Amino acid sequence: MSTAHWKELYDDHILDSNWKKLNTIVNTLLKKHKRALKGLEETESHYMELTHSIGEDQIIKWLDEELQALRLRGKHLDIYATKSEEAPSMADIWLSLMSSPSAEHGHSGSISWLAASISIEDAQDLVREAVCQLPIDHTATQKADVMAKQLALQSKVQKHQDEADSFMDGLDILEHCRPFEPVDDISLLPSHDYGIEPLDGEDQDQEDEYINGEDIEEVVPSEDVCIWMPSKLKLGRGKAVGLGYLVEEELQLCQGQANDSLARLRAALGNLAILYRQNL
């Protein structure tokens, strides 16, 4: 391809692009104008309500800031952005606890252990979701992927439970723990019919207790294992047995976890709002 051919090709492409812009710019501007009018109509009542609820001095201040932002542009336009105090994340709280341990802190590494506990609970949710989403006619690859996740989770759970004794001061956890209650709403989970006939109540009990005349112990999947944490103790029992510092540390880490979840939720809602506006 010669230089002249390149120039001719570029000219055709640019002219075609500009021609399309000229033809479609009117429709684009009309669509944006209609969207702006609709947005103005939706927000006018809220704007008037906000205006009447604040003082005149504050309104004058806002108008001055707006004029300055329109004149200077750049970072001064940030006044239009939503201002909110960012809540501390789980990582921030983790670092804060590590840098200033409490006076009652009796074990080194308890904060990391609690953070790992919360991480394992999150992993359990993901594995439960993967199990529920496994189709009835699943392939061997799909089943193998789920089993690999379960095995990886099982090793983490086992390691965590082994370390629990050192932080619980030899406490009989099962004696002081609240009974485990599933957190999933069964009605919201997909139900799969595997073609297995349900057993009668009596037959079910016999099936659970005996197989080939031998007692068996029910195997709990790794995603349903109750993770040993101070929050699993009965209400008020943690401080009574001298684990108050663990209860406080877990509470702060859980607050950070909730802040992270809310931040992700706000980001997801913001993305959906942008997509909704684009599709109007």
Side-chain angles (χ1 to χ4, degrees):
M1 183 179 291
S2 63
T3 304
H5 192 185
W6 275 110
K7 290 182 178 180
E8 183 180 358
L9 183 63
Y10 286 149
D11 289 340
D12 290 341
H13 176 74
I14 293 173
L15 290 175
D16 181 66
S17 177
N18 291 336
W19 176 254
K20 289 180 179 178
K21 290 179 182 178
L22 290 174
N23 284 337
T24 59
I25 192 171
V26 176
N27 294 332
T28 302
L29 291 177
L30 286 175
K31 185 183 296 185
K32 290 185 177 181
H33 179 66
K34 292 179 180 179
R35 188 183 304 169
L37 292 178
K38 184 178 180 181
L40 181 62
E41 182 180 354
E42 292 176 350
T43 58
E44 183 178 6
S45 60
H46 301 288
Y47 171 76
M48 297 303 298
E49 182 180 355
L50 177 62
T51 302
H52 293 312
S53 63
I54 59 178
E56 186 176 353
D57 296 338
Q58 190 69 27
I59 296 177
I60 295 175
K61 179 183 177 182
W62 285 354
L63 291 175
D64 292 339
E65 290 179 350
E66 181 185 19
L67 292 176
Q68 183 181 10
L70 294 176
R71 185 177 70 256
L72 300 177
R73 315 293 291 183
K75 64 179 182 180
H76 297 279
L77 294 175
D78 292 343
I79 63 170
Y80 292 105
T82 303
K83 296 181 180 179
S84 60
E85 295 183 2
E86 186 175 355
S89 64
M90 183 176 172
D92 295 332
I93 296 177
W94 187 357
L95 292 176
S96 176
L97 291 174
M98 293 288 288
S99 59
S100 57
S102 61
E104 299 179 357
H105 196 282
H107 294 277
S108 60
S110 62
I111 300 173
S112 299
W113 176 72
L114 289 171
S117 306
I118 296 175
S119 177
I120 290 175
E121 287 186 331
D122 292 339
Q124 285 181 313
D125 293 336
L126 295 177
V127 173
R128 269 198 300 269
E129 181 181 359
V131 172
C132 292
Q133 292 180 350
L134 192 66
I136 300 177
D137 53 345
H138 57 266
T139 63
T141 303
Q142 292 173 326
K143 182 65 175 178
D145 290 341
V146 173
M147 291 184 65
K149 294 178 181 179
Q150 290 177 319
L151 290 175
L153 177 61
Q154 183 178 0
S155 62
K156 293 180 181 179
V157 171
Q158 186 61 46
K159 180 181 178 182
H160 173 271
Q161 308 295 56
D162 293 340
E163 295 175 350
D165 290 335
S166 61
F167 295 103
M168 294 293 190
D169 294 330
L171 181 69
D172 188 353
I173 301 175
L174 296 179
E175 178 183 352
H176 298 278
C177 276
R178 294 179 285 110
F180 177 69
E181 299 177 358
V183 295
D184 297 325
D185 188 349
I186 304 299
S187 62
L188 300 178
L189 297 178
S191 58
H192 300 305
D193 184 9
Y194 294 95
I196 302 176
E197 293 294 334
L199 298 174
D200 295 335
E202 183 177 353
D203 295 338
Q204 181 68 51
D205 294 338
Q206 295 177 357
E207 183 73 17
D208 291 340
E209 293 178 2
Y210 300 101
I211 290 184
N212 297 329
E214 297 180 359
D215 294 342
I216 63 169
E217 183 179 355
E218 183 181 0
V219 178
V220 180
S222 56
E223 63 270 18
D224 294 332
V225 173
C226 181
I227 302 300
W228 293 344
M229 297 172 65
S231 58
K232 298 299 187 295
L233 297 175
K234 297 177 182 178
L235 185 62
R237 192 62 180 169
K239 295 183 179 180
V241 296
L243 300 178
Y245 71 96
L246 281 178
V247 175
E248 294 296 331
E249 289 173 352
E250 183 188 357
L251 177 60
Q252 295 184 52
L253 290 173
C254 287
Q255 289 175 347
Q257 181 191 27
N259 292 337
D260 292 341
S261 299
L262 290 174
R264 290 193 294 268
L265 180 60
R266 283 194 293 267
L269 290 176
N271 292 333
L272 290 176
I274 293 175
L275 294 176
Y276 174 75
R277 288 292 182 184
Q278 290 177 346
N279 295 328
L280 284 178

